[in-house]
Amino acid sequence: MDTFREALITEPGKIVLHEAEKKTPGSGEVMIKVVSSAICGSDMHLYSGKHPYAKLPTTVGHELAGVIEEVGADVTRFKVGDRVCVEPLITCGQCYYCQRGRYDYCENLRLKYRSGSSGYADYYYAKERWIHLLPDEISFDEGALMEPLACTVHAAMKARIQLCDSVCVMGDGPIALLLAQLSLAAGATHVYVLGIMKRNLELAERLGCIPLQSGHDAVQEVLRRTEGRGVDVTFEAVGIPVTFNQAMAVTRKGGRAVIFGIFEDEFSTKSLVDAMVKEIEVVGTSSYCWDFQRGIDLVSSGRIDLKSLITHHFPLDEVQKAMDIKKALVKNHLR
């Protein structure tokens, strides 16, 4: 039996490569030789054993790009050798939401990385409908970041940013920096990025944003620069109580606060009372729906910079090392 390596989180803080069977792709399916995979913030929640919707042990990894090595029967839009990225979803296609085109709301939605299919692997199997061609000008590393970009495109569209709006992004990680770039692309004139990582804040400034060291003083500075009103749109992209509270504090009356972070801990509801009094529209965002091609077009046209977000490269057999480095970065970020 032919096998290939595939990553599995066996317990909190431990990820191993086990052998998975290499099969011929099924009908409507392709087999992709993985070239690049990225580590998502949600992967770190899995790695810590604290993800609110997934239990260990589990496969992991869902941001990937590669080359189609084999196609199954009835595949019509792709061929061997195509450079592609993948939406890592499994939907039923039959429920109320799927029938109305909102596959992200599927009543039977599953994620491939929680269903025995790892993006940190030699090979990845995907149905044809979830595959997207990568233009020649987009690298595999950038292709692996199309999944988080699609998530942020979805969030930015829900934020309904208008020309000359002001925006505040809580956080300075990759998701936050993508949200900041998308805010500028959507027409915002002042985009504040509140974070703690020197490199990322410097990058935010190079991208055209206003970087501020996260904390009470930063909140007061945003309020000062907006004459006490606050910004039109806020993104919470960290997932801890203090940044949620700050998001409510810097959003103007009648503004919108888009919640992107995954919260592991419970917190006081006082900030929700503040949101009620200020009539802030609190918007949840999760996943994506018809947003992958939008992201590809944004990168292909030069409107969004993905390359600057890439910090490390590791071979597959160093996946544990990669996760530990990411864990340390996240820990320092949340201090």
Side-chain angles (χ1 to χ4, degrees), residues 79-144:
K79 65 183 184 302
V80 172
D82 281 345
R83 304 168 67 255
V84 297
C85 61
V86 183
E87 293 189 48
L89 303 177
I90 303 172
T91 61
C92 71
Q94 302 298 321
C95 70
Y96 175 92
Y97 296 108
C98 283
Q99 290 293 308
R100 286 157 179 79
R102 289 306 306 259
Y103 63 82
D104 56 328
Y105 289 173
C106 174
E107 294 171 349
N108 304 291
L109 180 68
R110 291 184 293 138
L111 302 175
K112 291 205 69 172
Y113 68 98
R114 297 185 213 161
S115 305
S117 187
S118 173
Y120 308 142
D122 294 310
Y123 293 96
Y124 187 91
Y125 294 84
K127 289 290 187 180
E128 179 180 30
R129 70 155 296 185
W130 300 117
I131 300 168
H132 299 268
L133 279 173
L134 289 177
D136 291 341
E137 62 270 19
I138 294 181
S139 68
F140 287 114
D141 284 355
E142 292 171 295

Short mmCIF file of all heavy atoms in Angstrom, two decimals, residues 79-144:
data_model
loop_
_atom_site.label_atom_id
_atom_site.label_comp_id
_atom_site.label_asym_id
_atom_site.label_seq_id
_atom_site.Cartn_x
_atom_site.Cartn_y
_atom_site.Cartn_z
N LYS A 79 -6.77 19.98 -14.88
CA LYS A 79 -5.95 18.92 -15.47
C LYS A 79 -4.67 18.76 -14.65
O LYS A 79 -4.31 19.62 -13.83
CB LYS A 79 -5.61 19.27 -16.92
CG LYS A 79 -4.74 20.51 -17.08
CD LYS A 79 -4.50 20.83 -18.54
CE LYS A 79 -3.56 22.01 -18.73
NZ LYS A 79 -4.02 23.24 -18.08
N VAL A 80 -3.99 17.66 -14.89
CA VAL A 80 -2.71 17.41 -14.23
C VAL A 80 -1.75 18.56 -14.56
O VAL A 80 -1.65 18.99 -15.71
CB VAL A 80 -2.13 16.06 -14.68
CG1 VAL A 80 -0.70 15.88 -14.16
CG2 VAL A 80 -3.01 14.92 -14.18
N GLY A 81 -1.07 19.06 -13.54
CA GLY A 81 -0.12 20.15 -13.73
C GLY A 81 -0.66 21.52 -13.37
O GLY A 81 0.12 22.48 -13.27
N ASP A 82 -1.97 21.64 -13.19
CA ASP A 82 -2.54 22.94 -12.83
C ASP A 82 -2.08 23.36 -11.43
O ASP A 82 -2.03 22.54 -10.50
CB ASP A 82 -4.07 22.89 -12.85
CG ASP A 82 -4.65 23.00 -14.25
OD1 ASP A 82 -3.92 23.40 -15.16
OD2 ASP A 82 -5.85 22.67 -14.42
N ARG A 83 -1.76 24.64 -11.28
CA ARG A 83 -1.40 25.24 -9.99
C ARG A 83 -2.69 25.72 -9.33
O ARG A 83 -3.44 26.51 -9.91
CB ARG A 83 -0.42 26.39 -10.17
CG ARG A 83 0.84 26.01 -10.91
CD ARG A 83 1.65 27.21 -11.34
NE ARG A 83 2.20 27.94 -10.20
CZ ARG A 83 1.75 29.10 -9.74
NH1 ARG A 83 0.72 29.70 -10.34
NH2 ARG A 83 2.31 29.69 -8.69
N VAL A 84 -2.94 25.29 -8.09
CA VAL A 84 -4.25 25.56 -7.48
C VAL A 84 -4.12 25.85 -5.99
O VAL A 84 -3.13 25.54 -5.34
CB VAL A 84 -5.20 24.36 -7.66
CG1 VAL A 84 -5.49 24.11 -9.13
CG2 VAL A 84 -4.64 23.09 -7.01
N CYS A 85 -5.19 26.48 -5.46
CA CYS A 85 -5.41 26.56 -4.02
C CYS A 85 -6.81 25.99 -3.75
O CYS A 85 -7.57 25.73 -4.70
CB CYS A 85 -5.29 27.99 -3.50
SG CYS A 85 -6.46 29.16 -4.20
N VAL A 86 -7.15 25.81 -2.48
CA VAL A 86 -8.33 25.01 -2.15
C VAL A 86 -9.17 25.66 -1.05
O VAL A 86 -8.62 26.17 -0.07
CB VAL A 86 -7.92 23.60 -1.67
CG1 VAL A 86 -9.15 22.73 -1.40
CG2 VAL A 86 -7.01 22.92 -2.68
N GLU A 87 -10.50 25.61 -1.20
CA GLU A 87 -11.41 25.89 -0.09
C GLU A 87 -11.59 24.60 0.69
O GLU A 87 -12.10 23.62 0.14
CB GLU A 87 -12.76 26.38 -0.61
CG GLU A 87 -12.73 27.72 -1.29
CD GLU A 87 -14.12 28.27 -1.58
OE1 GLU A 87 -14.98 28.25 -0.67
OE2 GLU A 87 -14.35 28.71 -2.73
N PRO A 88 -11.23 24.57 1.97
CA PRO A 88 -11.25 23.30 2.72
C PRO A 88 -12.59 22.99 3.37
O PRO A 88 -12.69 22.75 4.57
CB PRO A 88 -10.17 23.56 3.78
CG PRO A 88 -10.30 25.01 4.07
CD PRO A 88 -10.64 25.67 2.76
N LEU A 89 -13.65 22.99 2.57
CA LEU A 89 -15.00 22.81 3.09
C LEU A 89 -15.65 21.53 2.58
O LEU A 89 -15.29 21.01 1.52
CB LEU A 89 -15.89 24.00 2.69
CG LEU A 89 -15.43 25.40 3.11
CD1 LEU A 89 -16.39 26.44 2.56
CD2 LEU A 89 -15.31 25.51 4.61
N ILE A 90 -16.62 21.05 3.35
CA ILE A 90 -17.50 19.97 2.90
C ILE A 90 -18.92 20.43 3.20
O ILE A 90 -19.28 20.66 4.35
CB ILE A 90 -17.23 18.65 3.64
CG1 ILE A 90 -15.77 18.22 3.48
CG2 ILE A 90 -18.16 17.54 3.12
CD1 ILE A 90 -15.38 17.02 4.34
N THR A 91 -19.73 20.62 2.17
CA THR A 91 -21.11 21.06 2.35
C THR A 91 -22.06 20.04 1.74
O THR A 91 -21.67 19.24 0.88
CB THR A 91 -21.35 22.43 1.71
OG1 THR A 91 -21.10 22.34 0.30
CG2 THR A 91 -20.43 23.49 2.31
N CYS A 92 -23.32 20.10 2.17
CA CYS A 92 -24.28 19.09 1.70
C CYS A 92 -24.88 19.44 0.35
O CYS A 92 -25.30 18.55 -0.40
CB CYS A 92 -25.37 18.88 2.75
SG CYS A 92 -26.53 20.27 2.92
N GLY A 93 -25.01 20.74 0.04
CA GLY A 93 -25.60 21.16 -1.23
C GLY A 93 -27.11 21.03 -1.28
O GLY A 93 -27.73 21.38 -2.30
N GLN A 94 -27.73 20.55 -0.19
CA GLN A 94 -29.16 20.26 -0.21
C GLN A 94 -29.97 21.06 0.80
O GLN A 94 -31.19 21.14 0.68
CB GLN A 94 -29.39 18.75 0.05
CG GLN A 94 -28.70 17.83 -0.93
CD GLN A 94 -29.19 18.02 -2.35
OE1 GLN A 94 -30.39 18.22 -2.57
NE2 GLN A 94 -28.28 17.98 -3.30
N CYS A 95 -29.33 21.62 1.82
CA CYS A 95 -30.07 22.25 2.90
C CYS A 95 -30.62 23.61 2.47
O CYS A 95 -30.36 24.10 1.36
CB CYS A 95 -29.19 22.41 4.14
SG CYS A 95 -27.86 23.64 3.95
N TYR A 96 -31.38 24.23 3.36
CA TYR A 96 -32.01 25.53 3.11
C TYR A 96 -31.00 26.55 2.61
O TYR A 96 -31.24 27.28 1.64
CB TYR A 96 -32.67 26.01 4.41
CG TYR A 96 -33.27 27.39 4.36
CD1 TYR A 96 -34.61 27.56 4.02
CD2 TYR A 96 -32.52 28.51 4.69
CE1 TYR A 96 -35.18 28.83 3.98
CE2 TYR A 96 -33.07 29.79 4.65
CZ TYR A 96 -34.41 29.94 4.29
OH TYR A 96 -34.96 31.20 4.26
N TYR A 97 -29.85 26.64 3.30
CA TYR A 97 -28.85 27.66 2.96
C TYR A 97 -28.09 27.32 1.69
O TYR A 97 -27.82 28.20 0.86
CB TYR A 97 -27.90 27.86 4.13
CG TYR A 97 -28.59 28.41 5.36
CD1 TYR A 97 -28.81 27.61 6.48
CD2 TYR A 97 -29.06 29.72 5.39
CE1 TYR A 97 -29.46 28.11 7.60
CE2 TYR A 97 -29.71 30.23 6.50
CZ TYR A 97 -29.91 29.42 7.60
OH TYR A 97 -30.56 29.92 8.70
N CYS A 98 -27.71 26.07 1.52
CA CYS A 98 -27.00 25.69 0.30
C CYS A 98 -27.85 25.95 -0.94
O CYS A 98 -27.33 26.42 -1.97
CB CYS A 98 -26.62 24.21 0.36
SG CYS A 98 -25.20 23.81 1.42
N GLN A 99 -29.13 25.69 -0.85
CA GLN A 99 -30.01 25.90 -1.98
C GLN A 99 -30.17 27.38 -2.32
O GLN A 99 -30.59 27.72 -3.42
CB GLN A 99 -31.40 25.30 -1.68
CG GLN A 99 -31.42 23.78 -1.65
CD GLN A 99 -31.16 23.18 -3.03
OE1 GLN A 99 -31.82 23.54 -4.01
NE2 GLN A 99 -30.20 22.28 -3.11
N ARG A 100 -29.78 28.25 -1.39
CA ARG A 100 -29.86 29.69 -1.62
C ARG A 100 -28.49 30.31 -1.83
O ARG A 100 -28.33 31.53 -1.78
CB ARG A 100 -30.59 30.35 -0.45
CG ARG A 100 -32.10 30.07 -0.50
CD ARG A 100 -32.77 30.19 0.85
NE ARG A 100 -34.21 29.94 0.72
CZ ARG A 100 -34.74 28.72 0.62
NH1 ARG A 100 -33.96 27.65 0.63
NH2 ARG A 100 -36.04 28.57 0.49
N GLY A 101 -27.49 29.48 -2.07
CA GLY A 101 -26.16 29.96 -2.40
C GLY A 101 -25.31 30.34 -1.21
O GLY A 101 -24.15 30.75 -1.39
N ARG A 102 -25.81 30.21 0.02
CA ARG A 102 -25.02 30.54 1.20
C ARG A 102 -24.42 29.25 1.77
O ARG A 102 -24.79 28.78 2.84
CB ARG A 102 -25.89 31.25 2.25
CG ARG A 102 -26.27 32.67 1.86
CD ARG A 102 -25.06 33.54 1.51
NE ARG A 102 -24.04 33.57 2.53
CZ ARG A 102 -23.88 34.57 3.40
NH1 ARG A 102 -24.69 35.62 3.35
NH2 ARG A 102 -22.91 34.53 4.29
N TYR A 103 -23.45 28.72 1.04
CA TYR A 103 -22.86 27.46 1.48
C TYR A 103 -22.08 27.60 2.77
O TYR A 103 -21.84 26.61 3.47
CB TYR A 103 -21.99 26.86 0.37
CG TYR A 103 -20.78 27.66 -0.06
CD1 TYR A 103 -19.59 27.61 0.67
CD2 TYR A 103 -20.82 28.46 -1.20
CE1 TYR A 103 -18.48 28.32 0.26
CE2 TYR A 103 -19.71 29.17 -1.61
CZ TYR A 103 -18.54 29.11 -0.88
OH TYR A 103 -17.44 29.82 -1.28
N ASP A 104 -21.68 28.83 3.13
CA ASP A 104 -21.00 29.03 4.41
C ASP A 104 -21.93 28.83 5.59
O ASP A 104 -21.47 28.64 6.73
CB ASP A 104 -20.36 30.42 4.47
CG ASP A 104 -21.36 31.55 4.23
OD1 ASP A 104 -22.32 31.35 3.46
OD2 ASP A 104 -21.17 32.64 4.81
N TYR A 105 -23.25 28.89 5.36
CA TYR A 105 -24.24 28.65 6.41
C TYR A 105 -24.75 27.21 6.40
O TYR A 105 -25.68 26.88 7.14
CB TYR A 105 -25.45 29.57 6.22
CG TYR A 105 -25.22 31.02 6.51
CD1 TYR A 105 -26.23 31.95 6.23
CD2 TYR A 105 -24.04 31.51 7.05
CE1 TYR A 105 -26.06 33.31 6.47
CE2 TYR A 105 -23.85 32.86 7.31
CZ TYR A 105 -24.86 33.75 7.01
OH TYR A 105 -24.69 35.10 7.26
N CYS A 106 -24.19 26.36 5.57
CA CYS A 106 -24.68 24.98 5.42
C CYS A 106 -25.00 24.35 6.77
O CYS A 106 -24.20 24.39 7.71
CB CYS A 106 -23.62 24.15 4.69
SG CYS A 106 -24.03 22.38 4.57
N GLU A 107 -26.19 23.76 6.86
CA GLU A 107 -26.62 23.14 8.11
C GLU A 107 -25.83 21.87 8.42
O GLU A 107 -25.88 21.37 9.55
CB GLU A 107 -28.12 22.82 8.02
CG GLU A 107 -28.98 24.08 7.94
CD GLU A 107 -30.43 23.78 7.63
OE1 GLU A 107 -30.73 22.61 7.28
OE2 GLU A 107 -31.26 24.69 7.75
N ASN A 108 -25.09 21.38 7.45
CA ASN A 108 -24.28 20.17 7.64
C ASN A 108 -22.81 20.43 7.33
O ASN A 108 -22.07 19.52 6.96
CB ASN A 108 -24.81 19.05 6.75
CG ASN A 108 -26.29 18.76 7.00
OD1 ASN A 108 -26.66 18.25 8.04
ND2 ASN A 108 -27.14 19.13 6.05
N LEU A 109 -22.40 21.69 7.48
CA LEU A 109 -21.04 22.09 7.12
C LEU A 109 -20.00 21.34 7.94
O LEU A 109 -20.11 21.21 9.15
CB LEU A 109 -20.87 23.59 7.35
CG LEU A 109 -19.49 24.17 7.03
CD1 LEU A 109 -19.23 24.11 5.52
CD2 LEU A 109 -19.38 25.61 7.53
N ARG A 110 -18.99 20.86 7.23
CA ARG A 110 -17.83 20.27 7.89
C ARG A 110 -16.57 20.86 7.26
O ARG A 110 -16.59 21.36 6.15
CB ARG A 110 -17.81 18.74 7.71
CG ARG A 110 -18.91 18.02 8.49
CD ARG A 110 -18.76 16.52 8.34
NE ARG A 110 -19.03 16.08 6.97
CZ ARG A 110 -18.32 15.16 6.31
NH1 ARG A 110 -17.25 14.61 6.91
NH2 ARG A 110 -18.64 14.80 5.09
N LEU A 111 -15.51 20.83 8.01
CA LEU A 111 -14.22 21.34 7.54
C LEU A 111 -13.28 20.16 7.34
O LEU A 111 -13.15 19.30 8.22
CB LEU A 111 -13.64 22.33 8.54
CG LEU A 111 -14.55 23.53 8.83
CD1 LEU A 111 -13.95 24.40 9.91
CD2 LEU A 111 -14.78 24.35 7.57
N LYS A 112 -12.63 20.11 6.20
CA LYS A 112 -11.83 18.93 5.86
C LYS A 112 -10.72 18.68 6.87
O LYS A 112 -10.37 17.55 7.15
CB LYS A 112 -11.25 19.06 4.45
CG LYS A 112 -12.30 18.98 3.35
CD LYS A 112 -11.70 18.52 2.03
CE LYS A 112 -11.28 17.08 2.09
NZ LYS A 112 -10.87 16.53 0.80
N TYR A 113 -10.16 19.76 7.42
CA TYR A 113 -9.06 19.57 8.35
C TYR A 113 -9.53 19.02 9.70
O TYR A 113 -8.69 18.64 10.52
CB TYR A 113 -8.26 20.86 8.53
CG TYR A 113 -8.98 21.99 9.25
CD1 TYR A 113 -8.77 22.22 10.60
CD2 TYR A 113 -9.82 22.85 8.56
CE1 TYR A 113 -9.40 23.28 11.26
CE2 TYR A 113 -10.44 23.90 9.19
CZ TYR A 113 -10.23 24.11 10.55
OH TYR A 113 -10.86 25.15 11.19
N ARG A 114 -10.82 19.02 9.95
CA ARG A 114 -11.35 18.37 11.15
C ARG A 114 -12.02 17.05 10.80
O ARG A 114 -12.68 16.44 11.63
CB ARG A 114 -12.37 19.27 11.85
CG ARG A 114 -11.81 20.58 12.36
CD ARG A 114 -12.90 21.31 13.14
NE ARG A 114 -12.78 22.76 13.01
CZ ARG A 114 -13.78 23.60 13.27
NH1 ARG A 114 -14.96 23.14 13.64
NH2 ARG A 114 -13.60 24.89 13.13
N SER A 115 -11.87 16.64 9.55
CA SER A 115 -12.55 15.42 9.08
C SER A 115 -11.57 14.45 8.44
O SER A 115 -11.91 13.74 7.50
CB SER A 115 -13.65 15.80 8.07
OG SER A 115 -14.55 16.74 8.62
N GLY A 116 -10.33 14.44 8.94
CA GLY A 116 -9.36 13.45 8.51
C GLY A 116 -8.52 13.83 7.31
O GLY A 116 -7.93 12.96 6.68
N SER A 117 -8.44 15.13 6.98
CA SER A 117 -7.66 15.55 5.82
C SER A 117 -6.78 16.73 6.20
O SER A 117 -7.27 17.82 6.47
CB SER A 117 -8.60 15.93 4.67
OG SER A 117 -7.87 16.17 3.49
N SER A 118 -5.48 16.52 6.24
CA SER A 118 -4.54 17.53 6.71
C SER A 118 -3.94 18.34 5.56
O SER A 118 -3.56 17.78 4.53
CB SER A 118 -3.40 16.87 7.49
OG SER A 118 -2.40 17.81 7.82
N GLY A 119 -3.84 19.65 5.76
CA GLY A 119 -3.15 20.50 4.81
C GLY A 119 -1.65 20.45 4.98
O GLY A 119 -0.90 20.87 4.09
N TYR A 120 -1.19 19.94 6.13
CA TYR A 120 0.24 19.72 6.36
C TYR A 120 0.52 18.27 5.98
O TYR A 120 0.54 17.37 6.83
CB TYR A 120 0.61 19.97 7.82
CG TYR A 120 0.15 21.31 8.35
CD1 TYR A 120 -0.33 21.44 9.64
CD2 TYR A 120 0.18 22.45 7.54
CE1 TYR A 120 -0.75 22.66 10.13
CE2 TYR A 120 -0.24 23.68 8.02
CZ TYR A 120 -0.70 23.77 9.33
OH TYR A 120 -1.14 24.99 9.80
N ALA A 121 0.70 18.06 4.71
CA ALA A 121 0.83 16.70 4.20
C ALA A 121 1.53 16.73 2.85
O ALA A 121 1.72 17.79 2.23
CB ALA A 121 -0.57 16.06 4.05
N ASP A 122 1.90 15.55 2.37
CA ASP A 122 2.49 15.45 1.04
C ASP A 122 1.42 15.62 -0.04
O ASP A 122 1.69 16.20 -1.11
CB ASP A 122 3.18 14.10 0.87
CG ASP A 122 4.39 13.94 1.77
OD1 ASP A 122 5.24 14.85 1.79
OD2 ASP A 122 4.47 12.92 2.47
N TYR A 123 0.21 15.12 0.26
CA TYR A 123 -0.88 15.17 -0.72
C TYR A 123 -2.18 15.58 -0.04
O TYR A 123 -2.36 15.38 1.17
CB TYR A 123 -1.07 13.82 -1.41
CG TYR A 123 0.09 13.44 -2.30
CD1 TYR A 123 1.11 12.61 -1.82
CD2 TYR A 123 0.20 13.92 -3.60
CE1 TYR A 123 2.19 12.26 -2.63
CE2 TYR A 123 1.27 13.58 -4.40
CZ TYR A 123 2.26 12.76 -3.91
OH TYR A 123 3.33 12.44 -4.70
N TYR A 124 -3.08 16.14 -0.84
CA TYR A 124 -4.36 16.59 -0.33
C TYR A 124 -5.41 16.29 -1.41
O TYR A 124 -5.20 16.58 -2.59
CB TYR A 124 -4.31 18.09 -0.06
CG TYR A 124 -5.53 18.68 0.62
CD1 TYR A 124 -5.61 18.78 2.00
CD2 TYR A 124 -6.60 19.19 -0.14
CE1 TYR A 124 -6.70 19.36 2.63
CE2 TYR A 124 -7.70 19.76 0.49
CZ TYR A 124 -7.74 19.83 1.87
OH TYR A 124 -8.83 20.40 2.48
N TYR A 125 -6.53 15.70 -1.00
CA TYR A 125 -7.61 15.37 -1.93
C TYR A 125 -8.73 16.41 -1.79
O TYR A 125 -9.12 16.78 -0.68
CB TYR A 125 -8.17 13.99 -1.64
CG TYR A 125 -7.19 12.87 -1.88
CD1 TYR A 125 -6.25 12.51 -0.90
CD2 TYR A 125 -7.17 12.17 -3.09
CE1 TYR A 125 -5.34 11.49 -1.12
CE2 TYR A 125 -6.27 11.15 -3.32
CZ TYR A 125 -5.36 10.81 -2.33
OH TYR A 125 -4.46 9.80 -2.55
N ALA A 126 -9.24 16.87 -2.93
CA ALA A 126 -10.29 17.88 -2.89
C ALA A 126 -11.25 17.68 -4.06
O ALA A 126 -10.85 17.26 -5.15
CB ALA A 126 -9.70 19.28 -2.95
N LYS A 127 -12.52 17.99 -3.81
CA LYS A 127 -13.51 17.98 -4.88
C LYS A 127 -13.26 19.14 -5.84
O LYS A 127 -12.83 20.22 -5.44
CB LYS A 127 -14.92 18.08 -4.30
CG LYS A 127 -15.39 16.83 -3.56
CD LYS A 127 -15.64 15.67 -4.51
CE LYS A 127 -16.26 14.49 -3.81
NZ LYS A 127 -16.51 13.35 -4.73
N GLU A 128 -13.57 18.91 -7.09
CA GLU A 128 -13.32 19.91 -8.13
C GLU A 128 -13.96 21.25 -7.81
O GLU A 128 -13.36 22.31 -8.06
CB GLU A 128 -13.85 19.38 -9.47
CG GLU A 128 -13.68 20.33 -10.63
CD GLU A 128 -14.22 19.76 -11.93
OE1 GLU A 128 -15.17 18.95 -11.88
OE2 GLU A 128 -13.68 20.12 -12.99
N ARG A 129 -15.14 21.27 -7.22
CA ARG A 129 -15.86 22.53 -6.99
C ARG A 129 -15.16 23.44 -5.99
O ARG A 129 -15.43 24.63 -5.94
CB ARG A 129 -17.29 22.26 -6.52
CG ARG A 129 -17.45 21.69 -5.13
CD ARG A 129 -18.80 22.04 -4.54
NE ARG A 129 -18.95 23.48 -4.36
CZ ARG A 129 -20.00 24.05 -3.79
NH1 ARG A 129 -21.00 23.31 -3.36
NH2 ARG A 129 -20.07 25.35 -3.65
N TRP A 130 -14.24 22.88 -5.19
CA TRP A 130 -13.57 23.67 -4.16
C TRP A 130 -12.17 24.12 -4.56
O TRP A 130 -11.42 24.64 -3.74
CB TRP A 130 -13.50 22.87 -2.86
CG TRP A 130 -14.83 22.49 -2.32
CD1 TRP A 130 -15.33 21.23 -2.15
CD2 TRP A 130 -15.86 23.38 -1.86
NE1 TRP A 130 -16.59 21.27 -1.63
CE2 TRP A 130 -16.94 22.58 -1.44
CE3 TRP A 130 -15.97 24.77 -1.77
CZ2 TRP A 130 -18.12 23.14 -0.94
CZ3 TRP A 130 -17.14 25.32 -1.26
CH2 TRP A 130 -18.20 24.50 -0.86
N ILE A 131 -11.83 23.96 -5.83
CA ILE A 131 -10.47 24.25 -6.29
C ILE A 131 -10.47 25.55 -7.11
O ILE A 131 -11.41 25.83 -7.87
CB ILE A 131 -9.93 23.08 -7.15
CG1 ILE A 131 -9.90 21.81 -6.32
CG2 ILE A 131 -8.53 23.40 -7.68
CD1 ILE A 131 -9.66 20.58 -7.16
N HIS A 132 -9.39 26.33 -6.96
CA HIS A 132 -9.24 27.58 -7.69
C HIS A 132 -7.87 27.62 -8.35
O HIS A 132 -6.85 27.35 -7.71
CB HIS A 132 -9.39 28.79 -6.76
CG HIS A 132 -10.71 28.86 -6.08
ND1 HIS A 132 -11.78 29.57 -6.60
CD2 HIS A 132 -11.16 28.29 -4.93
CE1 HIS A 132 -12.82 29.45 -5.80
NE2 HIS A 132 -12.47 28.68 -4.77
N LEU A 133 -7.85 27.98 -9.63
CA LEU A 133 -6.59 28.13 -10.36
C LEU A 133 -5.81 29.34 -9.83
O LEU A 133 -6.39 30.39 -9.56
CB LEU A 133 -6.85 28.32 -11.85
CG LEU A 133 -7.13 27.08 -12.70
CD1 LEU A 133 -7.54 27.51 -14.11
CD2 LEU A 133 -5.92 26.17 -12.76
N LEU A 134 -4.50 29.17 -9.74
CA LEU A 134 -3.63 30.28 -9.37
C LEU A 134 -3.03 30.88 -10.64
O LEU A 134 -2.43 30.17 -11.44
CB LEU A 134 -2.50 29.80 -8.46
CG LEU A 134 -2.86 29.40 -7.04
CD1 LEU A 134 -1.61 28.89 -6.32
CD2 LEU A 134 -3.47 30.57 -6.28
N PRO A 135 -3.18 32.19 -10.83
CA PRO A 135 -2.52 32.84 -11.97
C PRO A 135 -1.00 32.68 -11.85
O PRO A 135 -0.46 32.50 -10.75
CB PRO A 135 -2.93 34.31 -11.83
CG PRO A 135 -4.14 34.30 -10.97
CD PRO A 135 -3.99 33.14 -10.05
N ASP A 136 -0.30 32.77 -12.97
CA ASP A 136 1.15 32.58 -12.99
C ASP A 136 1.86 33.57 -12.07
O ASP A 136 2.91 33.26 -11.51
CB ASP A 136 1.69 32.72 -14.40
CG ASP A 136 1.25 31.58 -15.32
OD1 ASP A 136 0.86 30.53 -14.79
OD2 ASP A 136 1.30 31.76 -16.55
N GLU A 137 1.31 34.78 -11.91
CA GLU A 137 1.98 35.80 -11.12
C GLU A 137 1.82 35.60 -9.61
O GLU A 137 2.42 36.34 -8.81
CB GLU A 137 1.48 37.20 -11.49
CG GLU A 137 0.02 37.45 -11.23
CD GLU A 137 -0.89 37.11 -12.41
OE1 GLU A 137 -0.44 36.34 -13.29
OE2 GLU A 137 -2.03 37.60 -12.44
N ILE A 138 1.02 34.63 -9.19
CA ILE A 138 0.83 34.35 -7.77
C ILE A 138 1.62 33.11 -7.39
O ILE A 138 1.44 32.04 -7.98
CB ILE A 138 -0.67 34.16 -7.44
CG1 ILE A 138 -1.41 35.49 -7.67
CG2 ILE A 138 -0.85 33.70 -6.00
CD1 ILE A 138 -2.90 35.42 -7.36
N SER A 139 2.50 33.24 -6.39
CA SER A 139 3.34 32.13 -5.97
C SER A 139 2.54 31.11 -5.16
O SER A 139 1.43 31.39 -4.69
CB SER A 139 4.51 32.65 -5.13
OG SER A 139 4.03 33.16 -3.90
N PHE A 140 3.14 29.94 -4.93
CA PHE A 140 2.49 28.94 -4.08
C PHE A 140 2.36 29.45 -2.65
O PHE A 140 1.35 29.18 -1.97
CB PHE A 140 3.28 27.63 -4.10
CG PHE A 140 3.15 26.86 -5.38
CD1 PHE A 140 4.25 26.68 -6.20
CD2 PHE A 140 1.94 26.32 -5.78
CE1 PHE A 140 4.14 25.98 -7.40
CE2 PHE A 140 1.80 25.61 -6.97
CZ PHE A 140 2.92 25.43 -7.78
N ASP A 141 3.38 30.15 -2.15
CA ASP A 141 3.28 30.70 -0.80
C ASP A 141 2.10 31.66 -0.68
O ASP A 141 1.35 31.62 0.30
CB ASP A 141 4.57 31.45 -0.44
CG ASP A 141 5.72 30.52 -0.11
OD1 ASP A 141 5.50 29.29 -0.06
OD2 ASP A 141 6.85 31.02 0.10
N GLU A 142 1.92 32.51 -1.68
CA GLU A 142 0.76 33.41 -1.68
C GLU A 142 -0.53 32.60 -1.83
O GLU A 142 -1.54 32.92 -1.19
CB GLU A 142 0.88 34.41 -2.82
CG GLU A 142 2.01 35.42 -2.64
CD GLU A 142 2.22 36.26 -3.89
OE1 GLU A 142 2.61 35.68 -4.93
OE2 GLU A 142 1.98 37.48 -3.83
N GLY A 143 -0.49 31.56 -2.64
CA GLY A 143 -1.67 30.72 -2.82
C GLY A 143 -2.12 30.08 -1.52
O GLY A 143 -3.32 29.92 -1.28
N ALA A 144 -1.15 29.73 -0.66
CA ALA A 144 -1.50 29.14 0.62
C ALA A 144 -2.19 30.14 1.55
O ALA A 144 -2.86 29.74 2.50
CB ALA A 144 -0.24 28.59 1.29
#
